[in-house]
């Protein structure tokens, strides 16, 4: 038997077998010191940034060639970040005040990283890693200490590191068979890059550097989040068999490309993708998505130093509509608030931001922000099937107010002679218990529902998935959450409106049969999950899914639900395997 096993977050599927190489950040310690020649210190600072930008752009070009331009944007985003006049200006103020360049860089980067980390929002929090990656890169330039040359590591290497940064990912070659990191999560940029590179990866494996010494043989299962340490011959053989099976399953997914999404008995549903930038739409279409189920527009605001204009937003929404060639594009209006710091919007810090002044509440109070977005969405609707989704709705009044603003914008556009879809659908992102309870009423006034399972789970269970103390409560398998989702779908179906799902649970193979049984009509998943989700849907007839749901919905705990679903899915997989020709 293997001498030991490590566990972490399964961030990128696949099985890697190889030898450990620990990759540590370079020693970036320095002695803070006062400076006398401010001009010379600023020149040294500028030179370090210029060198960092040159190096990072080269990395981005390599990633673009190896993986794709979408993934390269993560690195070019680092260039944009350090090029920001405000950030550089704050650093130079400190230098002018007598601080050395290293101190100025560290103080300002740490300030931004801390701000992002304290937001409590997972997507915002991942920016803290980006800021620290930038800090490390520029600091290395200032001190003349470049990190380990990952590109020169030998074949069969399993990288073990504290924090897998995007800049590390950019150096990865075919010699690297897997990655293990002590920090990081599913939505981190590094996880996104690892999945795009189809590199098995396990993140949030605390103590990995201490437990794994250089040269140790390991089996990394990025699908389960487990690391076998010094496996014996039988375990190595089993790992190689599993590796081959994973490759065969991946190849088999290609059979679902270009096929309609339907259950085994022919009930058609929509399979669409979640995106965060206009460029993501290209990847979604390349991965055979049938449209866009969630376009998170807040990134248009977060990646700017001033509010994006109506014209800038119009161009972004139009671009997605054109890329999707008439396929549905659901665009969520600005979902931002006290938990996401955007200085130029003048938002106030809140003690409990997730229950505070955010999303539709913020937008309805700031017509100067909301009206340009609604006008841009309407104008873009002339170029495709754009649909407007309102986040964090808790009462019918909010939906009515949004619809009234849309009507006002339509009158303005009519007066200006601009084209738009006069029947543009306006739907609700159902992610609060209040919206779930009032779903029957909301369904009478909404054009569609989209269930945001991430927030709905957290709000229903009163548990923050980022809080280690209560993470055990955060589970979409919990009967309370499942009952809520079933009721939402039932309310939408009763009024004849489409009901989709845009949370992570939409792609969960264990939960897919329940969604089929409940009558979900649209699944919005990451672009990399499109084909696997299509396959999962095709494995179930409605009758079989309903029979399973009937058993599961009488269970009392999340653990009971999970075990029942795992058993049912395993039985179905075994039956499929037995029916395959030898």
């Amino acid at each position: 038997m293997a001498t030991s096993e490590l566990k972490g977050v399964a961030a990128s599927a696949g099985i890697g077998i190889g030898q450990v190489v620990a990759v540590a950040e370079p020693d970036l310690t320095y002695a803070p010191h006062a400076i006398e020649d401010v001009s010379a210190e600023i020149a040294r600072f500028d030179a370090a940034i210029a060198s960092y930008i040159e190096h990072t752009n080269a990395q981005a070009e390599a990633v673009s060639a190896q993986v794709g331009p979408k993934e390269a944007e993560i690195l070019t985003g680092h260039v944009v970040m350090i090029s920001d006049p405000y950030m550089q200006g704050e650093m130079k103020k400190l230098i002018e005040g007598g601080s050395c360049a290293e101190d100025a860089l560290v103080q300002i980067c740490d300030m931004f990283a801390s701000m992002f980390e304290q937001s409590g929002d997972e997507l915002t929090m991942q920016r803290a890693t980006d800021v620290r990656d930038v800090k490390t890169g520029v600091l290395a330039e200032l001190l003349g200490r470049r990190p380990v040359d990952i590109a020169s590591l030998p074949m069969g290497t399993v990288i073990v590191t504290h924090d897998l940064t995007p800049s590390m990912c950019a150096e990865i070659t075919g010699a690297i068979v897997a990655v293990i990191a002590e920090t990081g999560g599913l939505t981190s940029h590094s996880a996104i890059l690892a999945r795009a590179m189809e590199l098995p990866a396990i993140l949030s494996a605390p103590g990995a550097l201490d437990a794994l010494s250089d040269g140790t043989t390991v089996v990394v299962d990025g699908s389960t989040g487990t690391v076998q340490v010094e496996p014996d011959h039988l375990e190595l053989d089993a790992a190689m068999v599993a590796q081959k099976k994973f490759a065969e399953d991946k190849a088999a997914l290609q059979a679902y490309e270009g096929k309609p999404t339907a259950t085994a008995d022919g009930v058609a549903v929509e399979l669409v993708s979640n995106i965060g930038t206009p460029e993501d739409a290209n990847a979604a279409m390349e991965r055979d998505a049938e449209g866009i189920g969630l376009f998170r527009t807040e990134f248009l605001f977060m990646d700017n130093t001033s509010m994006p204009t109506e014209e800038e937003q119009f161009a972004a929404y139009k671009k997605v509509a054109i890329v999707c060639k008439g396929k549905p594009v659901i665009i969520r209006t600005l979902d931002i608030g006290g938990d996401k710091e955007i200085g130029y919007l003048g938002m106030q810090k809140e003690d409990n931001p997730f229950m505070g002044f955010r999303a539709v509440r913020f937008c309805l109070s700031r017509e100067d922000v909301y009206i340009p977005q609604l006008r841009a969405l309407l104008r873009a609707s002339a170029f495709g099937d754009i649909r407007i989704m309102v986040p964090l709705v808790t009462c019918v009044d909010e939906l009515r107010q949004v619809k009234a603003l849309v009507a006002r914008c339509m009158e303005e556009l009519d007066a200006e002679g601009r084209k738009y879809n006069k029947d543009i659908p306006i739907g609700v992102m159902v992610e609060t218990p209040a919206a779930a309870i009032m779903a029957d009423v909301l369904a009478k006034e909404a054009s569609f529902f989209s269930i945001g399972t991430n927030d709905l789970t957290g709000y229903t269970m009163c548990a923050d998935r980022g809080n280690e103390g209560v993470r055990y409560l955060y589970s979409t398998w919990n009967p309370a959450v499942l009952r809520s989702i079933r009721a939402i779908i039932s309310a939408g179906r009763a009024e004849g409106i489409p009901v989709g799902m845009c949370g992570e649970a939409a792609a969960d193979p264990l939960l897919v049969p329940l969604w089929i049984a409940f009558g979900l009509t649209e699944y919005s998943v990451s672009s990399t999950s499109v084909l696997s989700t299509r396959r999962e849907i095709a494995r179930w007839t409605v009758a079989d899914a309903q029979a399973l749901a009937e058993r599961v919905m009488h269970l009392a705990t999340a653990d009971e639900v999970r075990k029942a679903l795992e058993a049912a899915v395993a039985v179905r997989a075994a039956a499929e395997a037995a029916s395959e020709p030898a």
Side-chain angles (χ1 to χ4, degrees):
M1 294 294 291
T3 56
S4 61
E5 183 178 89
L6 288 177
K7 285 285 290 182
V9 171
S12 181
I15 296 173
I17 305 170
Q19 284 69 50
V20 165
V21 174
V23 175
E25 291 184 352
D27 180 8
L28 299 178
T29 56
Y30 64 93
H33 57 279
I35 55 142
E36 296 179 1
D37 190 339
V38 170
S39 297
E41 192 69 1
I42 287 179
R44 188 170 77 92
F45 174 74
D46 287 339
I49 287 180
S51 180
Y52 170 78
I53 289 174
E54 181 181 3
H55 180 63
T56 305
N57 280 333
Q59 289 181 320
E61 289 176 12
V63 169
S64 183
Q66 181 184 352
V67 185
K70 170 181 169 288
E71 287 72 24
E73 288 170 7
I74 292 173
L75 287 162
T76 55
H78 289 186
V79 172
V80 170
M81 184 182 291
I82 195 59
S83 301
D84 177 50
Y86 175 75
M87 179 180 269
Q88 282 198 27
E90 292 300 298
M91 293 174 185
K92 288 180 179 179
K93 281 181 186 176
L94 291 179
I95 295 173
E96 289 165 355
S99 296
C100 63
E102 290 87 350
D103 247 7
L105 172 76
V106 169
Q107 285 186 49
I108 298 303
C109 285
D110 285 352
M111 180 191 73
F112 276 96
S114 176
M115 180 178 70
F116 289 138
E117 274 188 333
Q118 291 171 13
S119 72
D121 174 75
E122 193 167 356
L123 288 171
T124 306
M125 288 169 71
Q126 79 179 16
R127 288 175 171 268
T129 296
D130 293 330
V131 174
R132 290 199 174 93
D133 200 10
V134 169
K135 179 183 75 172
T136 298
V138 178
L139 195 54
E141 296 290 347
L142 283 167
L143 299 171
R145 302 169 194 162
R146 280 279 174 86
V148 174
D149 183 8
I150 292 174
S152 67
L153 294 175
M155 291 295 296
T157 290
V158 174
I159 290 176
V160 181
T161 187
H162 175 67
D163 185 13
L164 178 67
T165 63
S167 57
M168 283 184 189
C169 291
E171 302 287 345
I172 287 174
T173 66
I176 311 303
V177 297
V179 175
I180 304 166
E182 294 182 322
T183 62
L186 275 175
T187 60
S188 68
H189 279 159
S190 299
I192 293 168
L193 279 172
R195 287 193 289 271
M197 298 167 78
E198 300 181 343
L199 180 71
I202 294 176
L203 306 181
S204 287
L209 282 168
D210 290 334
L212 302 172
S213 56
D214 281 5
T216 302
T217 298
V218 293
V219 174
V220 179
D221 189 336
S223 304
T224 63
T226 58
V227 182
Q228 284 181 305
V229 185
E230 294 291 6
D232 59 29
H233 292 301
L234 289 177
E235 289 168 329
L236 273 176
D237 289 344
M240 286 188 278
V241 169
Q243 196 176 50
K244 181 181 178 184
K245 177 71 164 55
F246 181 84
E248 290 171 349
D249 285 348
K250 179 183 166 186
L253 283 180
Q254 300 310 307
Y256 292 88
E257 191 164 346
K259 299 288 181 65
T261 305
T263 61
D265 49 346
V267 176
V269 294
E270 272 189 339
L271 182 57
V272 291
S273 186
N274 303 325
I275 64 172
T277 69
E279 291 71 25
D280 291 345
N282 292 306
M285 295 302 101
E286 289 167 6
R287 300 272 188 166
D288 209 31
E290 296 162 7
I292 302 301
L294 170 63
F295 179 2
R296 302 179 178 95
T297 61
E298 53 268 24
F299 290 103
L300 297 175
F301 291 74
M302 294 172 72
D303 290 339
N304 274 284
T305 54
S306 60
M307 192 174 81
T309 64
E310 177 184 324
E311 291 302 321
E312 289 171 333
Q313 293 187 67
F314 165 63
Y317 307 147
K318 175 183 173 182
K319 181 177 181 179
V320 175
I322 291 173
V323 166
C324 292
K325 298 178 179 177
K327 294 177 180 177
V329 177
I330 295 178
I331 301 181
R332 183 175 69 187
T333 60
L334 185 60
D335 186 4
I336 210 139
D339 64 325
K340 298 173 187 172
E341 296 280 350
I342 297 186
Y344 63 78
L345 289 180
M347 295 179 294
Q348 300 298 311
K349 186 72 176 176
E350 297 180 286
D351 291 335
N352 193 352
F354 282 104
M355 295 188 182
F357 192 55
R358 55 176 292 228
V360 68
R361 302 167 182 180
F362 172 81
C363 289
L364 288 173
S365 74
R366 289 288 301 272
E367 291 188 8
D368 60 315
V369 175
Y370 209 25
I371 291 294
Q373 180 171 47
L374 294 176
R375 281 175 55 93
L377 288 167
L378 285 168
R379 291 170 57 193
S381 71
F383 298 87
D385 184 9
I386 283 181
R387 305 171 189 183
I388 298 173
M389 180 160 67
V390 186
L392 204 77
V393 169
T394 55
C395 54
V396 175
D397 292 341
E398 290 164 336
L399 178 59
R400 288 176 178 171
Q401 289 177 60
V402 173
K403 291 169 78 172
L405 288 179
V406 171
R408 191 208 303 175
C409 291
M410 287 181 171
E411 291 176 0
E412 292 175 0
L413 295 176
D414 285 338
E416 297 166 14
R418 296 185 185 273
K419 295 181 179 179
Y420 63 91
N421 177 11
K422 296 182 184 295
D423 298 313
I424 190 168
I426 302 174
V428 168
M429 188 168 183
V430 185
E431 54 188 331
T432 66
I437 292 168
M438 292 293 289
D440 58 329
V441 178
L442 284 167
K444 298 179 187 299
E445 304 200 26
S447 302
F448 63 89
F449 282 165
S450 186
I451 304 170
T453 57
N454 297 351
D455 275 353
L456 182 63
T457 300
Y459 283 129
T460 300
M461 300 307 301
C462 298
D464 175 7
R465 60 178 166 173
N467 184 327
E468 292 288 347
V470 297
R471 186 178 289 180
Y472 71 99
L473 289 169
Y474 183 94
S475 172
T476 307
W477 297 322
N478 191 285
V481 180
L482 293 177
R483 290 184 183 201
S484 180
I485 291 171
R486 181 176 62 180
I488 294 164
I489 296 172
S490 178
R493 287 171 63 85
E495 290 298 329
I497 64 171
V499 182
M501 180 180 290
C502 56
E504 291 175 9
D508 188 331
L510 296 182
L511 290 169
V512 162
L514 294 189
W515 308 152
I516 293 171
F518 296 167
L520 192 72
T521 55
E522 179 218 79
Y523 299 67
S524 190
V525 302
S526 67
S527 59
T528 54
S529 298
V530 168
L531 294 183
S532 59
T533 305
R534 183 172 291 150
R535 178 179 63 183
E536 294 305 323
I537 293 169
R539 283 176 165 165
W540 295 87
T541 64
V542 173
D544 285 347
Q546 288 175 337
L548 174 60
E550 178 64 24
R551 298 199 308 274
V552 167
M553 295 305 288
H554 284 93
L555 299 176
T557 70
D559 190 52
E560 291 173 4
V561 169
R562 176 183 58 79
K563 288 177 178 177
L565 293 176
E566 285 177 342
V569 169
V571 167
R572 186 158 296 266
E576 286 180 3
S579 67
E580 291 176 357

